[in-house]
Coordinates of all heavy atoms in Angstrom, one line a residue:
T49 N -19.6 49.1 38.8 CA -18.9 49.0 37.5 C -19.0 50.4 36.7 O -18.1 50.9 36.2 CB -19.5 47.9 36.6 OG1 -19.3 46.7 37.3 CG2 -18.8 47.8 35.3
A50 N -20.2 50.9 36.7 CA -20.4 52.2 36.1 C -19.6 53.3 36.7 O -19.0 54.1 36.1 CB -21.9 52.6 36.1
G51 N -19.5 53.3 38.1 CA -18.7 54.2 38.8 C -17.3 54.1 38.5 O -16.5 55.1 38.3
D52 N -16.8 52.8 38.3 CA -15.4 52.6 37.9 C -15.1 53.2 36.6 O -14.0 53.7 36.3 CB -15.1 51.1 38.0 CG -15.0 50.6 39.4 OD1 -15.0 51.4 40.4 OD2 -15.1 49.3 39.5
I53 N -16.0 53.0 35.6 CA -15.9 53.5 34.3 C -15.8 55.0 34.3 O -14.9 55.6 33.7 CB -17.0 53.0 33.4 CG1 -16.9 51.5 33.1 CG2 -17.0 53.7 32.0 CD1 -18.0 50.8 32.5
V54 N -16.7 55.7 35.0 CA -16.7 57.1 35.1 C -15.4 57.6 35.8 O -14.8 58.6 35.3 CB -17.9 57.6 35.9 CG1 -17.8 59.1 36.2 CG2 -19.2 57.4 35.1
S55 N -15.0 56.9 36.8 CA -13.7 57.3 37.5 C -12.5 57.2 36.5 O -11.7 58.1 36.5 CB -13.4 56.3 38.6 OG -13.6 56.9 39.8
S56 N -12.5 56.1 35.7 CA -11.4 56.0 34.7 C -11.5 57.1 33.7 O -10.4 57.6 33.3 CB -11.5 54.6 34.1 OG -11.3 53.6 35.0
A57 N -12.7 57.4 33.2 CA -12.8 58.5 32.2 C -12.4 59.8 32.8 O -11.7 60.6 32.1 CB -14.3 58.5 31.7
T58 N -12.8 60.1 34.1 CA -12.4 61.3 34.7 C -10.9 61.4 34.9 O -10.3 62.5 34.6 CB -13.1 61.5 36.1 OG1 -14.5 61.4 35.9 CG2 -12.7 62.8 36.7
A59 N -10.2 60.3 35.2 CA -8.8 60.3 35.4 C -8.1 60.6 34.0 O -7.1 61.3 33.9 CB -8.3 59.0 35.9
A60 N -8.7 60.0 32.9 CA -8.1 60.2 31.6 C -8.3 61.7 31.2 O -7.3 62.3 30.6 CB -8.8 59.3 30.6
V61 N -9.4 62.3 31.5 CA -9.6 63.7 31.2 C -8.6 64.6 32.0 O -8.1 65.5 31.5 CB -11.1 64.1 31.4 CG1 -11.3 65.6 31.4 CG2 -12.0 63.4 30.4
A62 N -8.5 64.3 33.3 CA -7.5 65.0 34.1 C -6.1 64.9 33.6 O -5.4 65.9 33.5 CB -7.6 64.5 35.5
S63 N -5.7 63.7 33.1 CA -4.4 63.5 32.6 C -4.2 64.4 31.3 O -3.2 65.0 31.1 CB -4.2 62.1 32.3 OG -2.9 61.8 31.7
A64 N -5.2 64.4 30.4 CA -5.2 65.1 29.2 C -5.1 66.6 29.5 O -4.4 67.4 28.8 CB -6.4 64.8 28.3
A65 N -5.8 67.1 30.5 CA -5.8 68.5 30.9 C -4.4 68.9 31.4 O -3.9 69.9 31.0 CB -6.8 68.8 32.0
Q66 N -3.8 68.0 32.2 CA -2.4 68.3 32.7 C -1.4 68.3 31.5 O -0.5 69.2 31.5 CB -2.0 67.2 33.7 CG -0.7 67.6 34.4 CD -0.7 68.9 35.1 OE1 -1.6 69.1 36.0 NE2 0.1 69.8 34.7
E67 N -1.6 67.5 30.5 CA -0.8 67.5 29.3 C -0.9 68.9 28.6 O 0.1 69.4 28.2 CB -1.1 66.4 28.4 CG -0.6 65.0 28.8 CD -1.0 63.9 27.8 OE1 -1.1 64.2 26.6 OE2 -1.1 62.8 28.3
Q68 N -2.1 69.4 28.5 CA -2.3 70.7 27.9 C -1.6 71.8 28.7 O -0.9 72.7 28.1 CB -3.8 71.1 27.8 CG -4.5 70.4 26.7 CD -6.0 70.9 26.7 OE1 -6.7 70.7 27.7 NE2 -6.4 71.4 25.6
M69 N -1.7 71.7 30.0 CA -1.0 72.7 30.9 C 0.5 72.6 30.7 O 1.2 73.6 30.6 CB -1.3 72.5 32.3 CG -2.8 72.7 32.7 SD -3.4 74.4 32.3 CE -2.6 75.4 33.5
N70 N 1.0 71.4 30.5 CA 2.5 71.2 30.4 C 3.0 71.7 29.1 O 4.2 72.0 28.9 CB 2.8 69.7 30.5 CG 2.6 69.1 31.9 OD1 2.5 69.9 32.9 ND2 2.5 67.8 32.0
K71 N 2.1 71.9 28.1 CA 2.6 72.5 26.8 C 2.8 74.0 26.8 O 3.4 74.5 25.9 CB 1.5 72.1 25.7 CG 1.5 70.6 25.4 CD 0.4 70.4 24.3 CE 0.3 68.9 24.0 NZ -0.7 68.6 23.0
V72 N 2.3 74.6 27.8 CA 2.4 76.1 27.9 C 3.9 76.4 28.1 O 4.5 76.0 29.1 CB 1.6 76.7 29.0 CG1 1.8 78.2 29.2 CG2 0.1 76.4 28.8
K73 N 4.5 77.2 27.2 CA 5.9 77.6 27.3 C 6.0 78.9 28.1 O 5.2 79.8 28.0 CB 6.5 77.8 25.9 CG 6.4 76.6 25.0 CD 7.3 75.5 25.5 CE 7.2 74.3 24.6 NZ 7.5 73.1 25.3
D74 N 7.0 78.9 29.0 CA 7.3 80.1 29.8 C 6.2 80.6 30.6 O 6.0 81.8 30.9 CB 7.8 81.3 28.8 CG 9.0 80.9 28.0 OD1 9.9 80.2 28.6 OD2 9.1 81.3 26.9
G75 N 5.4 79.7 31.1 CA 4.2 80.0 32.0 C 4.7 80.2 33.4 O 5.6 79.5 33.9

Side-chain angles (χ1 to χ4, degrees):
T49 300
D52 290 345
I53 291 168
V54 170
S55 250
S56 295
T58 303
V61 168
S63 178
Q66 188 59 58
E67 284 180 28
Q68 283 184 301
M69 296 300 290
N70 292 342
K71 290 179 182 177
V72 175
K73 301 292 181 207
D74 301 322

